[in-house]
Amino acid sequence: MLDAFSIVAIVAGLVFFLAGTVGLLRFPDAFTRLHALTKADNLGVALVVIGLLPQMDGVLAALKLVLVWLLVMLSSAAVSQLIARSVRRQERSE
């Protein structure tokens, strides 16, 4: 039962990664691309981590996975803000 849950969650996470990539390639401007990519990737990472949690041997390994997920969320938010700020500055200077 846990294996089936893990497979479903990981596959769902991969679908969100794919959706974010399609959004990155198809949306017209940098802001909508950033929005699609950060939202879909954060949800994709969350689903993959949730799918992997039942497969972990101990609590320490599970905590490491959750920590990695939190760090990915924090870094993607910070990087997307920096990219958006850079794009806005370029648009103003043109």
Side-chain angles (χ1 to χ4, degrees):
M1 185 77 165
L2 286 177
D3 290 339
F5 172 76
S6 292
I7 290 170
V8 169
I10 291 170
V11 168
L14 294 176
V15 168
F16 276 99
F17 280 130
L18 180 63
T21 303
V22 169
L24 176 68
L25 296 174
R26 299 214 18 128
F27 284 150
D29 64 340
F31 297 115
T32 55
R33 289 177 181 173
L34 276 174
H35 179 74
L37 193 61
T38 55
K39 297 296 181 189
D41 282 354
N42 281 337
L43 188 55
V45 170
L47 287 170
V48 169
V49 167
I50 288 170
L52 290 176
L53 282 176
Q55 305 299 323
M56 293 293 104
D57 291 332
V59 175
L60 185 59
L63 287 175
K64 287 179 186 178
L65 266 179
V66 172
L67 179 64
V68 167
W69 174 44
L70 293 174
L71 289 173
V72 166
M73 285 182 44
L74 178 67
S75 66
S76 72
V79 169
S80 66
Q81 289 291 324
L82 291 172
I83 292 171
R85 185 178 300 153
S86 174
V87 169
R88 186 168 300 254
R89 284 183 184 160
Q90 283 182 347
E91 286 178 353
R92 287 182 183 171
S93 66
E94 291 177 355

